[in-house]
Amino acid sequence: QVQLVESGGGLVQAGGSLRLSCAASGRTFSDYTMGWFRQAPGKEREFVTAIRWRFGNTLYADSVKGRFTISRDNAKNTVFLQMNSLKPEDTAVYYCAAGAWGTSRRQYNYWGQGTQVTVSS
């Protein structure tokens, strides 16, 4: 049974940093892309960033380029999202996902339960 478990969310002031983690289990993810999406109240879930587990290629949404960094720890089967220079508009529930390379939600088969990130101004 595939499980993606996010952690690391919380409340931070604008300009601060947070690091989210996504622990993956239940299958081999080496051929998968791991992604982070976010959903703010009243808005659709949107792509944030993704990484190919095997090769390490990355994709970023324009809104987070230069501020967010995705990485993985193969030994721990964990993906990280380092978020720096946070802005109030980054406030959302952040979801970890596993699937095919791309930025569309439809390309991801597995989803975590989400972790709340709140950035105060």
Side-chain angles (χ1 to χ4, degrees), residues 85-106:
S85 301
L86 282 160
K87 304 174 181 180
E89 51 263 44
D90 294 317
T91 295
V93 177
Y94 283 70
Y95 296 90
C96 176
W101 179 250
T103 61
S104 170
R105 290 176 295 170
R106 288 180 286 277

Side-chain angles (χ1 to χ4, degrees), residues 4-92:
L4 302 177
V5 180
E6 303 99 333
S7 61
L11 173 63
V12 64
Q13 286 190 329
S17 299
L18 279 176
R19 188 172 87 150
L20 306 184
S21 300
C22 172
S25 63
R27 68 165 299 139
T28 301
F29 288 92
S30 56
D31 292 325
Y32 275 70
T33 291
M34 303 299 295
W36 287 96
F37 288 74
R38 66 186 182 186
Q39 189 166 16
K43 294 189 176 181
E44 291 198 355
R45 194 170 298 188
E46 65 174 5
F47 172 79
V48 176
T49 181
I51 186 167
R52 267 193 171 130
W53 200 290
R54 185 184 298 275
F55 303 111
N57 315 58
T58 57
L59 280 172
Y60 291 93
D62 287 343
S63 58
V64 305
K65 273 182 187 174
R67 301 188 298 122
F68 290 12
T69 303
I70 189 171
S71 62
R72 74 215 188 285
D73 183 327
N74 290 343
K76 295 182 179 179
N77 250 22
T78 300
V79 176
F80 303 99
L81 178 60
Q82 178 66 45
M83 305 185 294
N84 298 328
S85 301
L86 282 160
K87 304 174 181 180
E89 51 263 44
D90 294 317
T91 295

